[in-house]
């Protein structure tokens, strides 16, 4: 009888052990099932972060450069102060030692027509509207003695006269463009006569060629 009880006790222990093992196996399976759910959740988060990061940087990179370039091109307009001064410089670089006696801006063809005197010889030179490149030139015979005398008396050069006139006109409203400049004697006073176009209105200035004062006639 005692032997039979011992066998039952061992059998019960075996059953309990089997139940415990199956319970442990079930617990071990649960973390493995949760792992794919964590991986799946991480993917959308990364994709969303990438989209948010890319969009603002793209917009911020393009807008400032466009505004800056637009501003740079508006301040360097053909026919403006910078272009007219560049045209004088371009011609004098080609005709070293010469003097520019007259410069006219042809708005229709967007070119500067420049008269330069070098070694008592006149040259007619055409420069593009930006004042950078000579597009045509020809010799135009000997300069008049009166022109040579007037250039010899002038202590203010044509480019300096143009600078002073644009400075004088800087208070004017609207677009200011160069028209023409030439040396002229009036009532015993030698002046650079400089004409501007201010919002399609002609404006004439006189720059004393000996001492540089500016007088407006408009």
């Amino acid at each position: 009888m005692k032997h039979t009880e011992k066998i039952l006790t061992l059998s019960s222990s075996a059953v309990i052990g089997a139940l415990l093992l199956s319970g442990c196996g079930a617990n071990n399976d649960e973390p493995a099932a949760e792992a794919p759910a964590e991986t799946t959740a991480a993917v959308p988060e990364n994709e969303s972060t990438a989209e948010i990061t890319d969009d603002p940087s793209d917009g911020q990179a393009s807008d400032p450069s466009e505004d800056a370039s637009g501003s740079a091109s508006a301040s360097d307009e053909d026919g403006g102060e910078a272009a007219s001064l560049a045209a004088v410089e371009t011609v004098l670089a080609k005709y070293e030692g010469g003097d520019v006696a007259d410069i006219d801006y042809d708005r229709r063809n967007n070119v500067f027509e420049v008269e330069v005197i070098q070694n008592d010889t006149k040259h007619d030179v055409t420069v593009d509207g930006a004042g950078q490149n000579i597009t045509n030139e020809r010799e135009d015979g000997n300069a008049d003695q009166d022109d040579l005398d007037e250039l010899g008396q002038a202590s203010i050069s044509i480019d300096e006269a143009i600078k002073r006139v644009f400075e004088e006109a800087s208070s004017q409203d609207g677009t200011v463009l160069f028209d023409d400049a030439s040396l002229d004697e009036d009532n015993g006073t030698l002046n650079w006569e400089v004409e501007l176009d201010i919002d399609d209105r002609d404006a004439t200035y006189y720059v004393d060629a000996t001492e540089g004062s500016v007088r407006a006639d408009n």
Side-chain angles (χ1 to χ4, degrees), residues 34-44:
E34 292 176 357
E38 292 177 358
T39 304
T40 304
V43 173

Side-chain angles (χ1 to χ4, degrees), residues 9-52:
T9 302
L10 290 174
S11 299
S12 299
S13 299
V15 170
I16 292 170
L19 290 174
L20 288 174
L21 288 175
S22 64
C24 292
N27 291 337
N28 290 338
D29 291 340
E30 288 178 3
E34 292 176 357
E38 292 177 358
T39 304
T40 304
V43 173
E45 289 178 1
N46 293 338
E47 290 177 353
S48 175
T49 303
E51 290 175 0
I52 293 172

Side-chain angles (χ1 to χ4, degrees), residues 67-165:
D67 292 342
S69 63
S71 178
S73 62
S75 64
D76 195 22
E77 185 175 0
D78 285 0
E81 179 184 8
S84 59
L85 294 174
V88 173
E89 182 179 356
T90 297
V91 170
L92 292 179
K94 174 67 180 293
Y95 295 88
E96 294 183 12
D99 294 293
V100 172
D102 185 282
I103 177 172
D104 179 83
Y105 178 57
D106 181 351
R107 188 164 290 102
R108 176 176 296 179
N109 296 311
N110 191 29
V111 295
F112 289 95
E113 297 173 348
V114 185
E115 179 184 297
V116 58
I117 298 177
Q118 181 193 52
N119 299 327
D120 299 342
T121 301
K122 288 194 301 182
H123 301 269
D124 294 328
V125 185
T126 303
V127 185
D128 64 21
Q132 300 296 326
N133 302 293
I134 293 175
T135 60
N136 191 29
E137 54 189 323
R138 69 181 180 87
E139 186 177 312
D140 193 26
N142 294 330
D144 295 335
Q145 188 59 46
D146 290 343
D147 292 340
L148 294 173
D149 291 342
E150 289 175 355
L151 285 170
Q153 295 171 26
S155 56
I156 302 295
S157 62
I158 192 170
D159 52 344
E160 179 62 29
I162 293 171
K163 289 178 185 177
R164 295 189 182 203
V165 167

